[in-house]
Amino acid sequence: MSVHTPGASRADLVADTALALLAERGMRGLTHRAVDEAAGLPQGSTSNVARTRQALLELAVRRHAEREARLLSAEELPDPNGGPDALAEGLALAVHRSLTRGRELLIARYELALEATRRPELRASYDATGAVFRERLAAMLTAAGSPDPARHVLSLVAWADGLMFSCAAGSFSAEVPGPDVVREGVRELLAGMLGARKHTGEGVYGNARMRP
């Protein structure tokens, strides 16, 4: 296996190779020697970048967050003032792209998440990178009218993670749902969170908006 990342630094190449190894071979297949070999680097190069296994895992976590954040271009990110429709479009696109072109990253993330349950130091790094996304999502939900952004972030993230795991590694892995299916799922969830207004009976989504 060879990982070629044009213009990448030595640290990025090591991290990208570590992520590829995690997706292909699992946590047991990730060693400093394996990264050197897969990246085509001289023996000892990975140790020069990340001396310990913990350092290598933290490097992989940081690089994973950088690459996952680039699944959507700046133009594709939801407009905070775009309301539930913009939020649904952006989330659906991110989820579907993770299941298709970002599948390797997704599998690597599961490996890192499980390892973080056994390594408190890695848990701190893993949670810190995830907090950036959760804070942005909370801000978008607040702008969309959420009465309880923290609780709704939990529900949205749990739904997205559950869908991605089921379709990447679980019982629905035989077929990736199309973007319209994912979009409708996000819209239904947001409608449940944001659609009911106390004492008004008026929803955020009209019938036309609920159609794909």
Side-chain angles (χ1 to χ4, degrees):
M1 179 183 67
S2 176
V3 176
H4 177 62
T5 308
S9 67
R10 177 64 62 88
D12 286 345
L13 177 59
V14 166
D16 287 338
T17 305
L19 291 170
L21 285 169
L22 285 170
E24 181 183 316
R25 305 178 190 178
M27 192 59 65
R28 290 186 178 182
L30 178 64
T31 65
H32 286 70
R33 180 185 294 273
V35 173
D36 286 341
E37 293 175 353
L41 295 171
Q43 186 173 344
S45 296
T46 299
S47 291
N48 289 334
V49 172
R51 180 67 59 185
T52 65
R53 183 170 180 80
Q54 176 65 27
L56 180 59
L57 290 171
E58 290 182 355
L59 184 68
V61 166
R62 290 194 297 272
R63 182 61 170 170
H64 182 279
E66 293 171 5
R67 290 178 56 187
E68 194 172 58
R70 294 201 300 265
L71 282 172
L72 296 184
S73 68
E75 294 75 21
E76 293 169 328
L77 292 173
D79 180 354
N81 299 315
D85 282 336
L87 182 54
E89 290 291 334
L91 284 174
L93 182 58
V95 168
H96 187 262
R97 199 163 283 175
S98 291
L99 287 168
T100 50
R101 70 176 70 173
R103 187 177 184 279
E104 180 182 275
L105 276 179
L106 192 58
I107 300 300
R109 175 152 69 88
Y110 296 146
E111 293 287 342
L112 290 167
L114 287 172
E115 189 67 8
T117 67
R118 310 176 188 103
R119 290 175 177 262
E121 315 86 21
L122 186 62
R123 170 56 61 190
S125 298
Y126 186 92
D127 288 351
T129 58
V132 175
F133 168 76
R134 293 193 298 274
E135 289 168 2
R136 291 174 181 168
L137 183 57
M140 287 187 282
L141 281 165
T142 299
S146 169
D148 193 344
R151 181 168 57 84
H152 288 162
V153 164
L154 173 60
S155 296
L156 271 175
V157 171
W159 177 86
D161 278 346
L163 177 68
M164 289 189 292
F165 181 85
S166 295
C167 295
S171 55
F172 290 90
S173 59
E175 183 177 358
V176 174
D180 288 347
V181 173
V182 179
R183 186 187 306 113
E184 191 65 14
V186 181
R187 284 178 169 178
E188 288 170 349
L189 188 58
L190 287 174
M193 293 176 177
L194 309 175
R197 299 300 190 198
K198 283 186 178 181
H199 310 302
T200 68
E202 187 175 9
V204 170
Y205 290 111
N207 290 334
R209 288 187 174 185
M210 284 299 292
R211 288 194 291 268

